[in-house]
Amino acid sequence: MLGDVSVKAAHMLSLPKVSNFFCKLIQRVAPKSYQQAHGEVYVTQKFLENFAGDQVRFLARSFAVPGNHLGQQSHGFRWPYGPTAIITPFNFPLEIPVLQLMGALYMGNKPVLKVDSKVCIVMEQMLRLLHECGLPVEDVDFINADGKTMNKLLLEANPRMTLFTGSSRVADKLAFDLKGRIKLEDAGFDWKILGPDVQEVDYVAWVCDQDAYACSGQKCSAQSIVFMHENWSKSSLLSQMNELAARRKLDDLTVGPVLTFTTEAMLEHMHKLLQIPGSKVLFGGEALKDHSIPSIYGAIKPTAVFVPIEEILKDNNYELVTREIFGPFQVVTEYKGSSAPNGIGCP
Amino acid sequence: MLGDVSVKAAHMLSLPKVSNFFCKLIQRVAPKSYQQAHGEVYVTQKFLENFAGDQVRFLARSFAVPGNHLGQQSHGFRWPYGPTAIITPFNFPLEIPVLQLMGALYMGNKPVLKVDSKVCIVMEQMLRLLHECGLPVEDVDFINADGKTMNKLLLEANPRMTLFTGSSRVADKLAFDLKGRIKLEDAGFDWKILGPDVQEVDYVAWVCDQDAYACSGQKCSAQSIVFMHENWSKSSLLSQMNELAARRKLDDLTVGPVLTFTTEAMLEHMHKLLQIPGSKVLFGGEALKDHSIPSIYGAIKPTAVFVPIEEILKDNNYELVTREIFGPFQVVTEYKGSSAPNGIGCP
Amino acid sequence: MLGDVSVKAAHMLSLPKVSNFFCKLIQRVAPKSYQQAHGEVYVTQKFLENFAGDQVRFLARSFAVPGNHLGQQSHGFRWPYGPTAIITPFNFPLEIPVLQLMGALYMGNKPVLKVDSKVCIVMEQMLRLLHECGLPVEDVDFINADGKTMNKLLLEANPRMTLFTGSSRVADKLAFDLKGRIKLEDAGFDWKILGPDVQEVDYVAWVCDQDAYACSGQKCSAQSIVFMHENWSKSSLLSQMNELAARRKLDDLTVGPVLTFTTEAMLEHMHKLLQIPGSKVLFGGEALKDHSIPSIYGAIKPTAVFVPIEEILKDNNYELVTREIFGPFQVVTEYKGSSAPNGIGCP
Amino acid sequence: MLGDVSVKAAHMLSLPKVSNFFCKLIQRVAPKSYQQAHGEVYVTQKFLENFAGDQVRFLARSFAVPGNHLGQQSHGFRWPYGPTAIITPFNFPLEIPVLQLMGALYMGNKPVLKVDSKVCIVMEQMLRLLHECGLPVEDVDFINADGKTMNKLLLEANPRMTLFTGSSRVADKLAFDLKGRIKLEDAGFDWKILGPDVQEVDYVAWVCDQDAYACSGQKCSAQSIVFMHENWSKSSLLSQMNELAARRKLDDLTVGPVLTFTTEAMLEHMHKLLQIPGSKVLFGGEALKDHSIPSIYGAIKPTAVFVPIEEILKDNNYELVTREIFGPFQVVTEYKGSSAPNGIGCP
């Protein structure tokens, strides 16, 4: 049955009219370019296609292994949790809730879904589409609430499992409140390491730009530090990254508001980094101008700061350099020789 | 890419206009009721849905197992055969060729497809639909030919693998000609065994009727013999089976022409069975009347013949009773006691 | 490498001299019959055999799925947690720690192992055997401590995952302390339901006896309630269960000390049950006599108490009847009709 | 049960006394060094370990997928063929028959086994060891016969599947006689391609020597041609290969008799190659001296012949150069530039 819902919903999302509607709706609430919003709709469509036909029932495949005697068998079955909860963030208003919600439903759970209240209109519309495609209205509870209310609901409803995507601060509190009956979508301060072989500089520059600045850096996988071998310094990599960053503008939302850091907070962080000997701004490093972004949000140009690797390795700098800024901000450093930089362990 | 073709083609088949077109086209060439033809279209649609999205690429999943030393690994990959051939029969003009063709394509093969020439118009139309949905025209070679020509083609083209569905006589010849580079879809004289617990007689009667007489018995899985425990003889099973068989009529193709046995051949087989002591006709056993089926095809009423189980076990009768008649014909027998009838081994 | 350790250790455990040593060592610290202790050694041996040869490396099998472009692939790898902790209970001094420890090692973790201090000598000897079979001594940290010390160690060492088998009270505390970075082996108040078909009474009685009284009922899967259809009441089931229970004696440890309930606690629980109208003692219900079991442990005869099913369904009785007694104590009840008793949901 | 047989047999093969017995027995009948024979015993031991414990039953794991209605399920089971036949060659007298025989037994088949009559004493002794370890004597039929008799047996016994490892000539005949009910272990003229990056020359030379000359080249995977980038010509690769080949001697069977080609046949093949312009002997190219190998077998020094790649690509030379010589003989060639040599497709 959910296979039918999936294939119908996927087909709806493949229609230009529907796809366009969701792209624009996402852009209304999240600072994304049209292309990026479209990527989110497309991934959601493909996910739904993956569970077309009988694929949902294949998820519930059980097994049996024979024993020593006639009739003796070991069986393995997959069971749903039953009552579950899903809490999703602002940065992917469609993709994250749909994928997590459908996953819960496919395995037979009864989820209550809470989407970040700034962007939940997208999922509200998507639920209506799913209902139109045959999803029974009683299969999902959709709640619009602030975090405090949701926390109370979780404590009272006591779901068997909660799936949370969001800040590590809230994750910690929930892990505690729910005594560990929680799954967390992981995030972090992400690294990119460029080895000694310099090739396809255009492509690498484009990937660095997308990784660091798409969605104004508000992705769990946003590149926060680049380790480049000295061979790359001699290439056009940095200048190309600079050019690509410079093309980003508010008009088409290739750069946009930062929802969890103010402009001041980000610039202050940058200034602290610049006090490290040898540090310098590669590009960016200024507030955006001529915009109407409210001051409770952040608005800076895509920014890259160079910090020497010897300095990063010092204890008092390490914490500072690897602090996660959920915005268009990255650190670049350089290493020499034939092996990876000593003393840096991936966290 | 084939994931996209699959999901589009599945959507097309889900449209009433398209589905109806194929149902009627199937009915033009194969003796099936509308409902049965629709079943074929529906199964084909669901199969295509199963390979929507990324499911095609998941088929090509490889694995790696670590060895004892750094860098030592065992890898397993799935490779296509390359040039392959598919030969499909008359009784499922859409389902069998689509499922087997797409399977070959999904794994990266280049197949040549031959469908039985009496029904190949269905697949010819389906190929046009697949092309419309994005299948490159050069990916499949479609040939309309008689068996002799196809045999010559196979010997000259020497495909790496041939998938054959059809009579065991041709299968034997091909296995020989192709030195075993062939896969055969299995068939046979099929059995149904009813144990001592009598329950849901309505449902069992309906299943027996469908298994034995749908598509005029021209299915590889058509029920050819029923072993019923004596408890079932006392139930209304046989009278219900008789009633259901009597409802079948030429008008809606719930009974139709038999393509591989003439009326005379089937009735002659029945008369041989009736010479076994204790045998009797349960129902049917007559030629159809008032029809325009050419005499090279068969046309009999859905028929059931009872043969005592002691007689079936005799060597000279066993061969006769278990001869496969690819038409609306079945044998019924009865056993006593608490265990399965002695001396009967499933072939 | 661990494959070699496993096969060697399994071979050692298959030697009568070694097997006998561990059986007797288990009997010194846990109230089990020789046969039961031997079962534990045997299961441990079979587990180790399952990971002989290359089976350990097969656990680390990775996969790859092709993308849309040359070189684009999705890879899935299995990673160890790294530092982990394992805490195991008194009732299976060999089987539980070996299976859990080896599982952790097979996947590349560095575990610290704590076994209940009353029985940890068994695992201490087993570790020496594993070292003899090639396990590097630095691969496992083995700690003998009380729960309080272990709790402190966990909070300070902060392992990535802790595997705990034991009481739900401690499990709750640890889930809280470790913010959910814990896996719990499940347990509970277990049920056995006998349907209306009475057959193989001997075997069923034997299974009931083993399930309820082996290891003096100190197994997570110990049968705590039997629902028998009224047809079984007319059979010799209860009298056979009584006979089997009566054969159990202290001499061969087929009955033994209960480590987590005193004799008084168990008898008091029984007396509360007997105040329910219609309840009665089926057999047992007395303290063991002529023994040297210290009074901080429990010592009662294998006991069964009948409680009418209508009474169990009453709210105030339900909690009492389903209280888990980790000893040789079970409740028996009876139901009528063709379906399962109404209103009883498995917890 | 077979899990127990496997673990016991593996343990036996791990005992130095038993291992040594089989190594020497292999050396009596096959031209292998002690180390190579030991490799065969070791691989056989590890294979048996892989099927210790419950691993055999895991092979028979079945699955079930839920349908649309209560009770509707799709089940998949693995069935044995029943009567099967295994025919194995002279070059691995222990490893090939044990692995193939146990595989057949694990899945529940009843195999008849024929090992090449020159070497079958090894498997005859191994069967006695398996019987000692608990394999029922009636589970395997072991036949010592020539090919003609075996062919007759296959035609009369008509096994459901035959597994053949041996020459392509016999394989072709069997595929025909058995109408394809045969599985063939693949072989061929094998290639090694060295790219432009020259590194670890010692190791590469050692691998080339082992691949080409171990077991006097009588392995299905024996390297028959080396394509080296011109960079390798400037390295010490060829001189190191020469040195390694020169160390091989009859005394320790690092070189030995060739069972399927005479000395004359191999030298004649070499002389034909040397008529190609630019060809030359790199090393070897002479008959062995001072030996007692009967003249029906071959006896030449490990030989490498260089042929220019332009000449190999010519049609009339290609067939000659890629003819498989199942002995210590290989062709070496050289290519230039950054990509693989044009026009050479792997067969």
Side-chain angles (χ1 to χ4, degrees):
Chain A
M1 193 270 289
L2 288 168
D4 290 344
V5 174
S6 296
V7 77
K8 278 180 198 157
H11 177 67
M12 294 295 271
L13 290 185
S14 79
L15 299 176
K17 204 166 60 175
V18 178
S19 164
N20 187 47
F21 170 79
F22 277 104
C23 292
K24 290 199 168 156
L25 189 58
I26 289 170
Q27 283 196 300
R28 288 230 172 175
V29 295
K32 302 200 176 190
S33 65
Y34 188 86
Q35 206 185 347
Q36 246 210 314
H38 186 265
E40 201 178 332
V41 175
Y42 183 76
V43 166
T44 305
Q45 174 202 334
K46 287 292 150 190
F47 175 85
L48 290 168
E49 287 181 2
N50 281 349
F51 295 94
D54 300 305
Q55 296 294 350
V56 171
R57 74 183 82 228
F58 293 158
L59 294 176
R61 180 175 159 137
S62 63
F63 69 83
V65 172
N68 287 324
H69 310 296
L70 186 65
Q72 193 186 18
Q73 279 193 318
S74 244
H75 287 270
F77 297 98
R78 301 193 71 181
W79 290 93
Y81 283 111
T84 55
I86 299 169
I87 302 172
T88 67
F90 74 93
N91 56 348
F92 289 85
L94 182 69
E95 183 180 334
I96 293 182
V98 173
L99 270 60
Q100 296 184 347
L101 175 70
M102 296 311 291
L105 291 171
Y106 291 152
M107 291 314 301
N109 299 294
K110 168 81 189 251
V112 55
L113 172 66
K114 177 199 172 298
V115 178
D116 180 278
S117 51
K118 288 187 287 300
V119 303
C120 58
I121 189 175
V122 179
M123 194 58 202
E124 189 265 347
Q125 289 294 304
M126 184 69 198
L127 268 177
R128 291 180 192 275
L129 186 148
L130 288 168
H131 290 156
E132 179 67 26
C133 293
L135 183 72
V137 291
E138 65 274 19
D139 276 14
V140 181
D141 291 331
F142 185 61
I143 186 169
N144 293 313
D146 58 10
K148 207 169 145 190
T149 310
M150 189 63 191
N151 196 269
K152 199 165 165 225
L153 184 147
L154 288 178
L155 288 176
E156 290 182 13
N158 200 17
R160 294 281 293 274
M161 181 53 69
T162 293
L163 175 54
F164 175 78
T165 311
S167 76
S168 57
R169 195 183 45 79
V170 177
D172 269 357
K173 175 166 167 45
L174 283 176
F176 202 79
D177 286 352
L178 302 172
K179 291 185 192 162
R181 284 197 310 278
I182 190 168
K183 288 187 188 291
L184 305 173
E185 181 159 323
D186 215 354
F189 186 87
D190 292 302
W191 297 11
K192 182 171 264 99
I193 300 173
L194 303 177
D197 294 333
V198 176
Q199 47 195 356
E200 300 194 65
V201 178
D202 286 13
Y203 176 69
V204 172
W206 178 82
V207 169
C208 287
D209 178 72
Q210 287 289 324
D211 278 5
Y213 304 129
C215 197
S216 297
Q218 293 166 98
K219 306 178 298 178
C220 302
S221 58
Q223 161 189 314
S224 306
I225 193 160
V226 179
F227 294 85
M228 61 179 178
H229 188 271
E230 57 180 335
N231 296 349
W232 288 88
S233 318
K234 298 162 199 157
S235 77
S236 60
L237 177 70
L238 290 179
S239 64
Q240 288 196 43
M241 279 167 64
N242 190 352
E243 269 168 51
L244 289 168
R247 291 207 312 223
R248 295 184 168 273
K249 54 182 188 288
L250 267 170
D251 286 355
D252 59 3
L253 285 172
T254 44
V255 69
V258 173
L259 277 71
T260 50
F261 285 82
T262 62
T263 307
E264 291 68 41
M266 288 186 286
L267 293 179
E268 191 192 324
H269 177 68
M270 183 182 76
H271 288 303
K272 282 192 191 154
L273 287 177
L274 291 176
Q275 284 162 21
I276 296 175
S279 295
K280 61 184 171 193
V281 172
L282 292 173
F283 50 81
E286 293 171 19
L288 290 176
K289 282 164 198 158
D290 306 323
H291 64 78
S292 57
I293 298 172
S295 63
I296 57 162
Y297 301 128
I300 65 165
K301 291 187 185 173
T303 297
V305 170
F306 181 89
V307 183
I309 196 162
E310 315 80 56
E311 294 293 329
I312 294 178
L313 291 173
K314 292 183 181 160
D315 269 5
N316 44 344
N317 292 336
Y318 188 82
E319 279 297 311
L320 181 66
V321 173
T322 60
R323 185 176 167 216
E324 188 183 7
I325 304 295
F326 212 56
F329 189 92
Q330 68 176 327
V331 170
V332 176
T333 191
E334 189 195 61
Y335 68 98
K336 295 181 204 310
S338 63
S339 65
N342 228 13
I344 301 252
C346 195
Chain B
M1 193 269 290
L2 288 168
D4 290 345
V5 174
S6 297
V7 78
K8 278 180 199 158
H11 177 67
M12 294 295 273
L13 290 184
S14 79
L15 300 176
K17 202 167 60 175
V18 177
S19 164
N20 187 46
F21 170 79
F22 277 103
C23 292
K24 290 200 169 157
L25 190 58
I26 289 169
Q27 284 196 301
R28 287 229 171 176
V29 294
K32 302 199 176 190
S33 66
Y34 187 86
Q35 205 186 348
Q36 246 209 314
H38 186 264
E40 202 177 330
V41 175
Y42 183 74
V43 166
T44 304
Q45 175 202 332
K46 287 291 151 191
F47 175 85
L48 290 168
E49 287 180 0
N50 281 350
F51 295 94
D54 299 306
Q55 296 295 349
V56 171
R57 75 183 82 227
F58 293 159
L59 294 176
R61 180 174 160 138
S62 64
F63 69 84
V65 172
N68 286 325
H69 310 296
L70 186 64
Q72 193 188 18
Q73 279 193 318
S74 246
H75 286 271
F77 297 100
R78 301 191 70 181
W79 290 93
Y81 283 110
T84 54
I86 299 168
I87 302 172
T88 67
F90 74 93
N91 57 348
F92 287 86
L94 183 69
E95 182 180 335
I96 294 181
V98 172
L99 270 60
Q100 297 185 346
L101 177 71
M102 297 310 291
L105 290 171
Y106 291 151
M107 291 314 301
N109 299 293
K110 169 79 188 254
V112 54
L113 172 65
K114 177 200 170 297
V115 178
D116 181 279
S117 50
K118 288 186 288 297
V119 302
C120 58
I121 190 176
V122 179
M123 193 58 203
E124 189 265 349
Q125 290 293 304
M126 184 68 197
L127 268 177
R128 292 180 190 276
L129 187 148
L130 288 168
H131 290 157
E132 179 68 26
C133 293
L135 183 71
V137 289
E138 65 275 16
D139 276 15
V140 181
D141 291 329
F142 185 60
I143 186 169
N144 293 313
D146 58 10
K148 207 169 144 189
T149 309
M150 189 62 191
N151 196 270
K152 199 164 163 226
L153 185 147
L154 289 178
L155 288 176
E156 290 182 13
N158 200 17
R160 294 282 294 275
M161 182 53 70
T162 294
L163 176 54
F164 175 78
T165 311
S167 77
S168 57
R169 194 181 47 80
V170 177
D172 270 356
K173 176 168 167 40
L174 283 176
F176 202 80
D177 286 352
L178 302 171
K179 292 185 192 164
R181 285 197 309 279
I182 191 168
K183 289 187 187 292
L184 304 173
E185 182 160 321
D186 215 355
F189 185 89
D190 292 302
W191 296 11
K192 182 171 263 101
I193 300 172
L194 304 177
D197 294 332
V198 176
Q199 46 194 358
E200 299 194 68
V201 179
D202 286 12
Y203 177 68
V204 171
W206 178 82
V207 169
C208 287
D209 178 71
Q210 287 289 326
D211 278 5
Y213 304 130
C215 197
S216 296
Q218 293 167 96
K219 306 179 298 179
C220 300
S221 58
Q223 160 188 316
S224 306
I225 194 160
V226 179
F227 294 85
M228 60 178 181
H229 188 272
E230 57 181 333
N231 296 349
W232 288 89
S233 318
K234 297 161 199 156
S235 78
S236 61
L237 176 69
L238 289 179
S239 63
Q240 288 197 41
M241 280 167 64
N242 189 353
E243 269 168 50
L244 289 168
R247 291 207 313 223
R248 294 182 169 272
K249 54 182 188 288
L250 268 170
D251 286 357
D252 59 3
L253 285 173
T254 44
V255 68
V258 173
L259 275 72
T260 49
F261 284 81
T262 61
T263 308
E264 289 70 40
M266 288 188 285
L267 294 180
E268 192 193 322
H269 177 68
M270 182 182 77
H271 288 304
K272 281 191 191 156
L273 288 177
L274 292 176
Q275 283 162 21
I276 296 175
S279 296
K280 61 183 171 191
V281 172
L282 292 172
F283 51 81
E286 293 171 22
L288 291 176
K289 281 162 199 161
D290 306 323
H291 64 78
S292 58
I293 298 172
S295 62
I296 57 161
Y297 300 130
I300 65 165
K301 291 187 183 173
T303 297
V305 170
F306 180 88
V307 183
I309 196 161
E310 314 81 57
E311 294 293 329
I312 294 178
L313 290 173
K314 292 181 181 163
D315 269 5
N316 45 341
N317 292 336
Y318 188 82
E319 279 297 309
L320 181 67
V321 172
T322 60
R323 186 175 166 215
E324 188 184 8
I325 304 295
F326 211 57
F329 189 92
Q330 69 175 327
V331 170
V332 176
T333 191
E334 189 195 64
Y335 70 97
K336 296 181 202 312
S338 63
S339 65
N342 226 12
I344 301 251
C346 196
Chain C
M1 190 270 290
L2 287 168
D4 289 343
V5 175
S6 296
V7 78
K8 278 180 200 157
H11 176 68
M12 294 296 271
L13 291 185
S14 79
L15 300 176
K17 201 167 60 175
V18 178
S19 164
N20 187 47
F21 170 79
F22 277 103
C23 291
K24 290 200 168 156
L25 189 58
I26 290 170
Q27 283 196 301
R28 288 231 170 172
V29 294
K32 301 197 176 194
S33 66
Y34 187 86
Q35 205 185 349
Q36 247 209 315
H38 186 264
E40 201 177 331
V41 175
Y42 183 74
V43 166
T44 304
Q45 174 202 333
K46 287 291 151 190
F47 175 85
L48 290 168
E49 287 181 2
N50 282 348
F51 295 95
D54 300 304
Q55 295 295 349
V56 171
R57 73 183 84 227
F58 293 158
L59 294 176
R61 181 175 157 137
S62 64
F63 69 84
V65 172
N68 287 323
H69 310 297
L70 186 65
Q72 194 187 18
Q73 281 193 317
S74 245
H75 287 270
F77 297 99
R78 303 193 71 180
W79 289 95
Y81 283 110
T84 54
I86 300 169
I87 302 172
T88 66
F90 73 92
N91 56 347
F92 289 86
L94 182 69
E95 182 181 335
I96 293 182
V98 173
L99 270 60
Q100 296 185 348
L101 176 70
M102 295 311 290
L105 291 171
Y106 291 152
M107 291 313 301
N109 299 293
K110 168 81 188 253
V112 55
L113 171 66
K114 177 200 171 299
V115 178
D116 181 279
S117 51
K118 287 186 289 299
V119 303
C120 58
I121 190 176
V122 179
M123 193 59 204
E124 189 264 348
Q125 289 294 304
M126 184 68 199
L127 268 177
R128 291 181 191 275
L129 186 148
L130 289 168
H131 290 157
E132 178 69 26
C133 294
L135 184 73
V137 290
E138 65 273 19
D139 277 14
V140 181
D141 291 330
F142 185 61
I143 186 171
N144 292 312
D146 60 10
K148 207 170 145 190
T149 309
M150 188 64 190
N151 196 270
K152 197 164 166 228
L153 184 147
L154 289 178
L155 288 176
E156 290 184 12
N158 200 16
R160 294 281 293 275
M161 181 53 69
T162 294
L163 175 53
F164 176 78
T165 310
S167 78
S168 55
R169 193 182 47 78
V170 176
D172 270 357
K173 175 167 169 38
L174 284 176
F176 201 79
D177 287 352
L178 303 172
K179 294 186 193 164
R181 283 196 311 279
I182 190 169
K183 287 185 189 292
L184 305 173
E185 181 158 322
D186 215 355
F189 185 88
D190 292 300
W191 296 12
K192 182 171 263 100
I193 300 173
L194 304 177
D197 294 332
V198 176
Q199 47 195 356
E200 300 193 64
V201 179
D202 286 12
Y203 177 69
V204 171
W206 179 81
V207 169
C208 286
D209 178 72
Q210 287 290 324
D211 278 6
Y213 304 129
C215 196
S216 296
Q218 292 166 99
K219 306 178 298 178
C220 301
S221 58
Q223 162 189 313
S224 306
I225 193 161
V226 179
F227 294 86
M228 62 178 175
H229 189 272
E230 58 180 333
N231 295 348
W232 288 89
S233 320
K234 297 161 199 157
S235 78
S236 60
L237 177 70
L238 290 179
S239 63
Q240 289 196 39
M241 279 166 64
N242 190 351
E243 270 169 49
L244 288 168
R247 291 208 311 224
R248 293 182 169 273
K249 53 183 190 285
L250 267 170
D251 287 354
D252 58 4
L253 284 173
T254 45
V255 69
V258 173
L259 276 71
T260 50
F261 284 82
T262 61
T263 307
E264 290 67 40
M266 289 187 283
L267 294 179
E268 189 193 326
H269 177 69
M270 183 183 76
H271 288 304
K272 281 192 192 153
L273 287 177
L274 292 175
Q275 283 160 25
I276 297 175
S279 295
K280 61 184 172 192
V281 172
L282 291 174
F283 50 80
E286 293 172 20
L288 290 176
K289 282 164 198 155
D290 305 324
H291 63 77
S292 58
I293 299 172
S295 63
I296 59 162
Y297 301 128
I300 65 165
K301 290 186 183 174
T303 298
V305 171
F306 181 89
V307 184
I309 195 160
E310 315 81 58
E311 294 293 331
I312 294 178
L313 290 172
K314 291 181 182 162
D315 268 6
N316 44 345
N317 291 336
Y318 187 83
E319 279 297 311
L320 181 66
V321 173
T322 61
R323 185 174 168 218
E324 187 184 6
I325 303 296
F326 212 57
F329 188 91
Q330 69 176 328
V331 171
V332 177
T333 190
E334 186 194 64
Y335 69 99
K336 295 181 202 311
S338 63
S339 65
N342 228 12
I344 301 250
C346 194
Chain D
M1 192 268 289
L2 288 168
D4 290 345
V5 175
S6 297
V7 79
K8 278 180 200 158
H11 177 67
M12 294 294 272
L13 290 185
S14 79
L15 301 176
K17 200 166 61 174
V18 177
S19 165
N20 187 47
F21 170 78
F22 277 104
C23 292
K24 291 201 169 156
L25 189 57
I26 289 170
Q27 283 196 300
R28 288 231 169 173
V29 293
K32 301 199 176 192
S33 67
Y34 187 86
Q35 205 185 349
Q36 246 210 313
H38 186 264
E40 201 178 330
V41 175
Y42 183 73
V43 166
T44 304
Q45 175 202 334
K46 287 293 151 188
F47 174 86
L48 290 168
E49 287 180 2
N50 281 348
F51 295 94
D54 299 306
Q55 296 295 350
V56 171
R57 72 183 84 227
F58 293 159
L59 294 177
R61 181 175 158 136
S62 63
F63 69 84
V65 172
N68 287 322
H69 311 296
L70 186 64
Q72 193 187 17
Q73 279 193 318
S74 246
H75 287 270
F77 298 100
R78 301 193 70 180
W79 290 95
Y81 283 110
T84 54
I86 299 169
I87 302 172
T88 66
F90 73 92
N91 56 348
F92 287 87
L94 182 68
E95 183 180 335
I96 295 182
V98 172
L99 270 60
Q100 296 185 347
L101 176 71
M102 296 311 291
L105 291 171
Y106 291 152
M107 291 314 300
N109 298 293
K110 167 80 188 254
V112 56
L113 171 65
K114 177 198 171 299
V115 178
D116 181 279
S117 50
K118 288 186 288 298
V119 303
C120 57
I121 190 175
V122 179
M123 193 59 204
E124 190 264 347
Q125 290 294 305
M126 184 68 198
L127 268 176
R128 290 179 192 276
L129 186 148
L130 289 168
H131 290 156
E132 179 68 25
C133 294
L135 183 72
V137 290
E138 64 276 17
D139 276 14
V140 180
D141 291 329
F142 185 59
I143 185 169
N144 292 313
D146 59 10
K148 207 169 145 190
T149 309
M150 189 62 190
N151 196 269
K152 199 164 165 226
L153 184 146
L154 289 178
L155 289 176
E156 289 183 13
N158 200 16
R160 293 282 294 274
M161 181 55 70
T162 294
L163 175 52
F164 175 78
T165 311
S167 76
S168 56
R169 193 180 50 76
V170 177
D172 270 357
K173 176 168 168 40
L174 284 176
F176 202 79
D177 286 352
L178 302 172
K179 293 185 193 164
R181 286 197 309 277
I182 191 167
K183 288 186 188 294
L184 305 174
E185 181 158 323
D186 215 355
F189 185 89
D190 291 302
W191 295 11
K192 180 170 264 100
I193 299 173
L194 305 177
D197 293 334
V198 176
Q199 46 193 357
E200 299 194 67
V201 178
D202 286 11
Y203 177 68
V204 171
W206 178 81
V207 170
C208 287
D209 178 71
Q210 287 289 325
D211 279 5
Y213 305 130
C215 197
S216 296
Q218 293 166 100
K219 307 180 296 178
C220 301
S221 58
Q223 161 189 315
S224 306
I225 194 160
V226 178
F227 293 86
M228 61 179 178
H229 188 272
E230 56 180 334
N231 296 349
W232 288 88
S233 318
K234 298 161 200 157
S235 78
S236 60
L237 176 69
L238 290 180
S239 63
Q240 289 196 40
M241 279 167 65
N242 190 351
E243 268 168 50
L244 289 168
R247 291 208 311 223
R248 294 182 168 273
K249 55 183 189 284
L250 269 170
D251 286 355
D252 59 3
L253 285 173
T254 46
V255 68
V258 173
L259 277 70
T260 50
F261 284 82
T262 62
T263 307
E264 290 69 40
M266 288 187 285
L267 294 180
E268 190 194 323
H269 177 69
M270 184 183 75
H271 288 305
K272 281 191 192 156
L273 287 177
L274 291 176
Q275 284 161 22
I276 297 175
S279 295
K280 61 185 172 191
V281 171
L282 292 173
F283 49 81
E286 293 170 22
L288 292 175
K289 282 164 199 159
D290 306 323
H291 64 77
S292 57
I293 299 172
S295 62
I296 58 162
Y297 300 129
I300 65 165
K301 291 188 183 172
T303 297
V305 171
F306 180 87
V307 183
I309 196 161
E310 315 81 56
E311 293 294 328
I312 294 178
L313 290 171
K314 292 182 184 162
D315 269 8
N316 44 344
N317 291 335
Y318 188 82
E319 280 296 311
L320 181 67
V321 173
T322 60
R323 185 173 168 218
E324 188 183 6
I325 304 295
F326 211 57
F329 189 92
Q330 69 175 329
V331 169
V332 176
T333 191
E334 188 195 64
Y335 69 98
K336 295 180 202 312
S338 65
S339 64
N342 227 13
I344 302 251
C346 194

